[in-house]
Amino acid sequence: MTTSATTSDLIRAVEQASSAEAMLLATVRLADAASKRPEQAAVDCLVGVLGFNNPGAAVAAVEGLIRLGEMAVTPLLSQLDPRNYGARAWAVRALAGIGDVRGLELLEEALASDVGPSVRRAAACGLGQLKLKGLPPGQRVEVSSRCLEALVAGQEDGEWVVRYAVVVGLERLVGQFEGSGDGLARARTTLAGLADPGREAVPVVRLRAGLALENLPG
Amino acid sequence: MAAALHDTPPAPGSGLGGEPISEAEALARLRQTDDQSAQYYAAWWLGRMRSQHPEAVPLLRAALAQRQPRDPAAGVEHNAVARNAARALGKLGDAAAIADLLAALDDDDDGLREAAARALGELRAAEAVSPLRRRLASGPAGAGAPRPDSPRLQEPCEALLEALGEIGVASGEVLAVIEPFTAHDRPLIRSAACRALLQLSGDPRWAEPLLQLLQDPQLQVRRAALMDLGAVGWRPALEPICRTLAENSLKLIALRGLVENGGQHGDDPGPVLTAMDALL
């Protein structure tokens, strides 16, 4: 393939890939090209790759979709086959990385009830990094309080790695808070619980929660 | 390596999936003996939940003595209840189980020996060092020889080696028994041997082969080396672990190990935590 390959050539290469490796390579090429020359057809194709049950290619597609950012959000939310669990899980990761508030509901759902710990982990992280700047003030308050509630509930997750991600999500979320004392206090209480040896059994989670507490503003 | 991955829901054949049950229900299911799949799930549950109920250990010890044939049609392994009981006893941390687990280490079923060895490792049972050493004494050509009829080795070498590392008795005799396995044909056995030697001696020359295995062409081998470096808590492995081609989930488990098992020298865990944040 030459450097002058068009987006439709690159898409065809993904669609016609005859092995997992060829698919990975074609996806990497398409994702790279799309980040320099964003086109809707490329976005749609990368979203399609999430459903192909090819983890290597899905990782490359997720990375590409995160670089594409905002323009990938609608396709991620609308083209998903709800019966394809794998595709949904990858979409959660992509939306967590993009940080667009339109992904909020899917991230909330994923942290609360997805069966895969790695999906809940990505969702917790994503709930801490939704981009609140530029939203109208009312919506900013609403979104950040929904993120906070979802993360507070996530402290009860049975998997240590999800609780670790909840700590990181909370730390990132409070970094975006603007003068809402109640939210900050709630985040502090949650982090204190996760740093408490009487309540949290896993040392690395306690250590990370302690660090987050130290970094808390005020 | 497998120890870290055993904390997963019960295997097929338990017939029960991962439904939530109460501790009382788990104890009742383990106490009855008519339905072995219910016992199998109950034993797993008690270990997973770290049950502190006074009846948990006595019931698990009784279950460890149960024998049952394999049932491939139902996906049930040989001595399934006993194997799960051994795994759970390793997690409950009660030394009262050590004598029974030592007996299981001499069982004809190598799968049960494997589970018992891992449990004795988790219990840091110094009494197990001599029997473990004896099981491995014939070396890679004996204990480590492949069986003619299955992909398994004569002994569950990986578990035996790892248990010696976990227990932590670093005598010359123990090191001498482990060392030949660093030249075993199978990379998973080499990984387990290097892990144990690194744990016992702290000698960096045993880290080098593990770091090389992080670049093995087989994913299964890279995963094992990740788990082994995490179990040792080998902090210099931080960068190589982050670069390894494997799932972030496994790298996170390995890095957790670097934090929790690698703090002997008062090293700042900060860089490991930063790396973990980036893998979420």
Side-chain angles (χ1 to χ4, degrees):
Chain A
M1 194 151 311
T2 67
T3 48
S4 63
T6 64
T7 298
S8 53
D9 291 335
L10 294 166
I11 290 172
R12 202 170 315 114
V14 171
E15 288 168 349
Q16 294 175 355
S18 55
S19 68
E21 212 143 293
M23 163 82 70
L24 168 60
L25 198 62
T27 304
V28 169
R29 282 181 175 146
L30 176 62
D32 283 350
S35 60
K36 288 172 205 131
R37 197 173 59 218
E39 283 179 44
Q40 203 59 49
V43 176
D44 293 346
C45 179
L46 290 173
V47 171
V49 170
L50 305 182
F52 290 170
N53 193 22
N54 178 331
V59 168
V62 166
E63 286 171 2
L65 289 164
I66 291 173
R67 286 197 299 268
L68 286 159
E70 214 173 284
M71 72 184 292
V73 175
T74 302
L76 277 167
L77 291 170
S78 65
Q79 288 171 27
L80 277 176
D81 175 357
R83 290 158 304 177
N84 186 333
Y85 170 74
R88 226 179 94 89
W90 290 113
V92 168
R93 292 187 179 94
L95 289 165
I98 293 170
D100 189 287
V101 290
R102 285 171 288 171
L104 173 60
E105 201 177 326
L106 190 65
L107 295 179
E108 284 175 323
E109 259 179 53
L111 175 58
S113 55
D114 199 283
V115 294
S118 65
V119 178
R120 300 201 301 280
R121 177 186 94 203
C125 211
L127 285 164
Q129 58 195 19
L130 291 183
K131 292 175 186 128
L132 305 178
K133 287 213 171 65
L135 296 177
Q139 197 190 357
R140 199 157 57 209
V141 171
E142 194 217 321
V143 170
S144 64
S145 81
R146 278 174 63 180
C147 291
L148 179 64
E149 289 313 312
L151 288 166
V152 168
Q155 72 179 311
E156 307 290 345
D157 199 284
E159 290 290 331
W160 73 270
V161 77
V162 179
R163 298 195 301 280
Y164 186 100
V166 162
V167 170
V168 173
L170 281 171
E171 184 182 76
R172 290 177 183 167
L173 181 67
V174 296
Q176 295 200 69
F177 274 175
E178 288 163 30
S180 78
D182 287 355
L184 189 58
R186 234 166 120 57
R188 189 188 300 280
T189 310
T190 306
L191 289 171
L194 289 163
D196 176 359
R199 287 156 70 183
E200 172 56 57
V202 174
V204 75
V205 175
R206 295 200 301 267
L207 193 64
R208 187 65 185 81
L211 188 66
L213 278 173
E214 282 173 32
N215 293 341
L216 233 49
Chain B
M1 173 252 179
L5 303 178
H6 271 159
D7 214 19
T8 49
S14 68
L16 287 156
E19 95 220 48
I21 59 171
S22 68
E23 186 172 57
E25 173 66 17
L27 293 166
R29 286 188 191 179
L30 188 55
R31 195 177 296 112
Q32 60 82 40
T33 52
D34 295 332
D35 180 353
Q36 291 181 320
S37 71
Q39 287 186 293
Y40 181 85
Y41 181 75
W44 172 81
W45 191 97
L46 291 168
R48 163 81 199 194
M49 298 302 169
R50 306 288 191 279
S51 169
Q52 293 301 308
H53 194 283
E55 282 187 64
V57 169
L59 284 171
L60 287 166
R61 288 173 65 188
L64 182 60
Q66 264 178 242
R67 292 294 175 268
Q68 75 196 91
R70 222 173 126 237
D71 182 358
V76 174
E77 59 187 5
H78 195 47
N79 298 326
V81 173
R83 290 185 192 183
N84 257 7
R87 290 170 192 139
L89 286 166
K91 297 188 191 317
L92 297 192
D94 186 339
I98 290 176
D100 294 341
L101 289 166
L102 286 172
L105 204 52
D106 279 328
D107 199 273
D108 289 340
D109 170 17
D110 66 317
L112 183 56
R113 294 204 297 281
E114 177 176 2
R118 290 193 192 285
L120 288 160
E122 286 182 79
L123 294 172
R124 309 280 191 273
E127 305 92 314
V129 170
S130 292
L132 288 167
R133 208 157 47 82
R134 267 202 311 279
R135 286 267 163 203
L136 289 166
S138 54
R147 296 189 184 194
D149 56 341
S150 90
R152 300 178 68 95
L153 303 175
Q154 295 294 334
E155 289 290 339
C157 293
E158 204 181 328
L160 301 175
L161 291 162
E162 288 177 11
L164 284 172
E166 291 293 323
I167 294 169
V169 175
S171 69
E173 287 165 315
V174 171
L175 298 177
V177 156
I178 299 173
E179 203 172 318
F181 288 91
T182 62
H184 196 278
D185 288 342
R186 295 193 184 174
L188 295 183
I189 304 299
R190 297 201 296 276
S191 191
C194 290
R195 158 189 171 156
L197 289 166
L198 191 56
Q199 272 175 318
L200 294 172
S201 70
D203 185 340
R205 81 186 148 120
W206 303 120
E208 199 43 50
L210 287 171
L211 295 175
Q212 279 170 20
L213 289 172
L214 289 178
Q215 297 171 45
D216 193 275
Q218 283 187 69
L219 177 58
Q220 186 202 12
V221 174
R222 300 196 297 274
R223 286 173 174 160
L226 282 172
M227 294 301 102
D228 288 338
L229 285 161
V232 179
W234 191 250
R235 288 273 174 93
L238 173 58
E239 291 299 320
I241 286 172
C242 292
R243 282 197 305 270
T244 301
L245 290 174
E247 306 90 321
N248 285 4
S249 307
L250 287 180
K251 295 192 207 180
L252 284 161
I253 294 172
L255 294 182
R256 173 188 171 185
L258 294 199
V259 171
E260 295 185 0
N261 306 324
Q264 306 94 334
H265 311 298
D267 297 344
D268 171 23
V272 187
L273 296 177
T274 304
M276 288 179 71
D277 291 2
L279 291 170
L280 296 172

